[in-house]
């Protein structure tokens, strides 16, 4: 008899079928609710939709080279003498060549920037239709070179 009772207990009762139907229904409801939430459209704004603003880089114009002043324009050769403090003028971004000797054929030893100050240590010397002065840097005395007077002004 025990075997018959065990067989009868293993069958699904109406109570079990009800729970199973509720479980499947709940899972189905979850799928329907998730589908509705994922596909619904949110509220539309009252104002018009924003438009994209396109930013483009504007090329920077290259500076136009300006002609270098002549000795007559700067007037810098007048009044220069040994021991005087002078500053580089009229070279723009190019700078002033400091050379190993007075003349365009001499080796360039350094470049002095616009507005830089020096002491005249020697000269004048005439060569290549230019007047040359030996300049020394006060802050770095080992830095020296010959420069054309066209680009020197008393400081």
């Amino acid at each position: 008899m025990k075997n018959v009772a065990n067989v009868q207990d293993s069958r699904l009762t109406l109570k079990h079928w009800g729970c199973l139907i509720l479980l499947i229904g709940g899972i189905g409801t979850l799928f329907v609710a998730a589908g509705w939430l994922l596909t619904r459209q949110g509220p539309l704004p009252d104002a018009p939709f924003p438009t994209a603003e396109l930013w483009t880089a504007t090329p920077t114009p290259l500076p136009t080279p300006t002609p270098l002043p002549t000795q007559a324009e700067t007037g810098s050769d007048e009044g220069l003498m040994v021991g005087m403090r002078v500053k580089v003028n009229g070279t723009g971004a190019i700078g002033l060549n400091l050379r190993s000797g007075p003349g365009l054929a001499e080796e360039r030893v350094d470049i002095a920037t616009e507005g830089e100050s020096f002491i005249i240590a020697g000269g004048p010397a005439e060569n290549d239709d230019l007047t040359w002065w030996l300049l020394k840097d006060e802050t770095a005395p080992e830095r020296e070179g010959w420069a054309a007077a066209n680009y020197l002004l008393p400081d």
Side-chain angles (χ1 to χ4, degrees):
M1 289 278 248
K2 267 186 166 182
N3 288 340
V4 173
N6 285 342
V7 170
Q8 285 177 352
D9 288 344
S10 66
R11 291 185 188 172
L12 293 176
T13 63
L14 187 59
K15 183 176 162 183
H16 291 117
W17 278 108
C19 287
L20 185 60
I21 289 172
L22 282 175
L23 181 64
I24 292 172
I27 292 173
T29 304
L30 284 175
F31 275 110
V32 169
W36 177 75
L37 285 173
L38 292 174
T39 58
R40 77 175 203 166
Q41 186 177 8
L44 295 175
D46 295 336
F49 288 107
T51 56
E53 189 173 332
L54 182 62
W55 289 74
T56 57
T58 306
T60 307
L62 296 174
T64 351
T66 55
L68 296 175
T70 63
Q71 185 173 346
E73 291 172 340
T74 61
S76 62
D77 193 28
E78 298 175 23
L80 296 183
M81 62 183 74
V82 174
M84 176 183 271
R85 180 177 286 122
V86 292
K87 72 175 176 182
V88 177
N89 182 55
T91 63
I94 298 170
L96 177 62
N97 290 327
L98 299 180
R99 299 189 177 273
S100 59
L104 295 173
E106 299 295 327
E107 178 186 1
R108 180 175 58 199
V109 293
D110 205 340
I111 297 176
T113 59
E114 182 77 16
E116 198 170 358
S117 293
F118 292 90
I119 296 289
I120 297 178
E126 299 291 329
N127 197 355
D128 300 319
D129 295 325
L130 294 169
T131 303
W132 296 84
W133 293 94
L134 178 60
L135 304 181
K136 258 192 191 294
D137 188 340
E138 283 184 285
T139 58
E142 68 281 354
R143 183 179 178 219
E144 69 175 26
W146 289 85
N150 296 31
Y151 304 103
L152 302 174
L153 287 178
D155 192 17

